[in-house]
Amino acid sequence: AGARFEKTVRWTNGVYHFKAPTPSLEVARRLAACPGVRWVESDFYRPFQRRVYRPDDPFFPNQWYLENTGQAGVAGNDARVAAAWNFLEEKKLEPGRGVTVGIIDDGFDIAHADLRGLFLQGTDLSDGDDLPMIGPDDVHGTAVAGILGARWMNGIGIAGVCPECRVVPVRVSSDLINGTTEIDAFTYLLDRGVDIISNSWGPTDHGGPMDMSETLKEIFVMAVSEGRNGKGTVILFAAGNGNEDISAPESFDGFAANPWVIAVGAVNASGRKTLYSDWGKDLDLMAPSCDTDLDAFEDPFDLSMTRDGVWTTDNTGFDGYSAGDYTAGFCGTSAAAPLAAGIVGLLLSASPDLSWQDVYDILTTTADKVSLRDARYDENGFSLRYGYGRVNALAALEKACEMFECPGRQPVAEDPVESPEPDALFVEEMGTLSDDDEPLAGEGPREASAACAFLVL
């Protein structure tokens, strides 16, 4: 071919490897035609692509809300959580390390294998003890906790949004919760020094206006001004599932509309507002959750009509939303709120000095402006139907680490509670699964009564 060659690779499997001093497509073409040349290949520059960090939890591919590759709705419509994990991995930060989250809900399956190591000491305001374990008819809290913090890289189940977060659980009963109970719950969590409080409950949908007590309002002001050593505890509430205006006098929701609360609505796997999600001028953000079929709008919590449900933990061996230890159909703004709370956990684990206002500004300015056709965002980027848009974990972390230092946090010093073993009478009262129960197959739970509704006052 008229070129001198340098032998660059030793004798390998009966072949000498040479490198042309001035490689080009013409040299390669002429070399390929020479006798004794087995192959010619280019050594030109090629870009590399980063490997996206993915956990080994077997149900992770079903968790479209963490990374939507097209398994639900339209690919790319997710909260960018898996990409955020990769961002933290590159910075050698563990997602959620050092962060504590308070969850107020019904009982929690503390013995669930995928939640072991998640829970710190909590309280049961229903039974009056320190074990907020599930009781009969308690299914909601276990599902909420799994979305936020199910353990990852353990070879089972799912991965939570904030898999290194720790949860302080507070059990209340929907039959007992009142102004005093609410005050006790928030006071307990603030005294415990939690960073975040996630609430997937609120006034009854279509039940008329309801405001919180003046005492609780003062507690929220104190939480934002004095919590986290003056940086502010971040409180999130599910916006509601009645397709109502949380700010209007006739449907006012004083919990989601409180100025010191981040109110979270729900968008579906295609990036559109779900049929049930509440809206209004006090809505802040959207997060992914299920939607319902159009003909189920009058009963948006009929889970037989659920589309693209949220995979999460379910009560182990007891009656839950589905047969088995996981459910494929958790739903509503009850699912959106802990997802957003988990993203706040990722932020605070990377940049612990963020104030409440920093967190709010970062989340609202980095949110994805979804559904531009019907959202009608104003000049400030706000929409009555979508708030500031769908929460974006990766963009929020990138902005936080660009504007502030991201040194990470030390692990929580407190040890998680040991997983209890329920006694025989408790198991009998709960009702164990039978051979007639349908297996979890992704089509949604067998019961269709309460997963989309939040815990009702």
Side-chain angles (χ1 to χ4, degrees), residues 109-276:
D109 186 358
I110 298 174
H112 197 292
D114 220 359
L115 302 179
R116 288 175 184 165
L118 170 66
F119 296 108
L120 302 177
Q121 183 63 60
T123 188
D124 188 331
L125 297 180
S126 179
D127 290 345
D129 57 35
D130 293 331
L131 185 63
M133 187 68 174
I134 48 176
D137 301 322
D138 287 348
V139 292
H140 197 262
T142 300
V144 167
I147 292 171
L148 188 145
R151 306 293 82 181
W152 72 340
M153 301 303 292
N154 59 358
I156 63 171
I158 65 167
V161 174
C162 191
E164 295 296 332
C165 279
R166 296 292 183 267
V167 166
V168 178
V170 176
R171 180 180 179 242
V172 297
S173 168
S174 59
D175 297 327
L176 297 177
I177 192 167
N178 51 40
T180 302
T181 307
E182 296 160 0
I183 292 169
D184 290 343
F186 282 98
T187 300
Y188 174 83
L189 290 173
L190 293 173
D191 287 345
R192 293 281 274 111
V194 299
D195 302 296
I196 305 161
I197 302 177
S198 180
N199 304 273
S200 291
W201 54 274
T204 305
D205 296 319
H206 304 294
M210 177 176 287
D211 201 357
M212 65 171 66
S213 69
E214 292 300 318
T215 302
L216 195 57
K217 291 179 184 178
E218 291 298 321
I219 290 175
F220 279 26
V221 172
M222 182 184 69
V224 171
S225 60
E226 300 179 18
R228 295 176 54 237
N229 297 318
K231 293 185 286 291
T233 304
V234 183
I235 302 174
L236 301 94
F237 264 86
N241 304 321
N243 191 32
E244 300 175 281
D245 184 346
I246 62 174
S247 308
E250 65 275 10
S251 54
F252 181 69
D253 178 348
F255 295 82
N258 184 277
W260 306 117
V261 160
I262 297 177
V264 185
V267 289
N268 62 24
S270 298
R272 298 289 301 275
K273 174 187 171 298
T274 63
L275 292 174
Y276 54 79

Side-chain angles (χ1 to χ4, degrees), residues 362-418:
I362 289 170
L363 290 177
T364 54
T365 56
T366 60
D368 293 327
K369 295 295 188 279
V370 293
S371 197
L372 296 176
R373 289 187 177 181
D374 71 314
R376 298 180 181 177
Y377 297 100
D378 64 18
E379 63 276 10
N380 297 316
F382 180 80
S383 162
L384 287 174
R385 290 170 56 82
Y386 291 84
Y388 287 97
R390 183 182 59 212
V391 65
N392 184 321
L394 175 61
L397 279 167
E398 288 176 335
K399 184 166 186 176
C401 294
E402 177 184 348
M403 297 177 61
F404 306 89
E405 292 184 358
C406 279
R409 294 177 69 163
Q410 294 300 312
V412 175
E414 183 180 348
D415 291 332
V417 297
E418 295 183 4

Side-chain angles (χ1 to χ4, degrees), residues 15 24 31 46 65 69 83 157 167 265 270 422 453:
V15 179
S24 67
L31 280 172
R46 67 186 70 178
Y65 52 96
T69 59
V167 166
S270 298

Side-chain angles (χ1 to χ4, degrees), residues 9-17 38-39:
V9 182
R10 63 184 179 277
W11 176 274
T12 306
N13 295 328
V15 179
Y16 276 108
H17 298 252
R38 184 172 297 182
W39 73 82

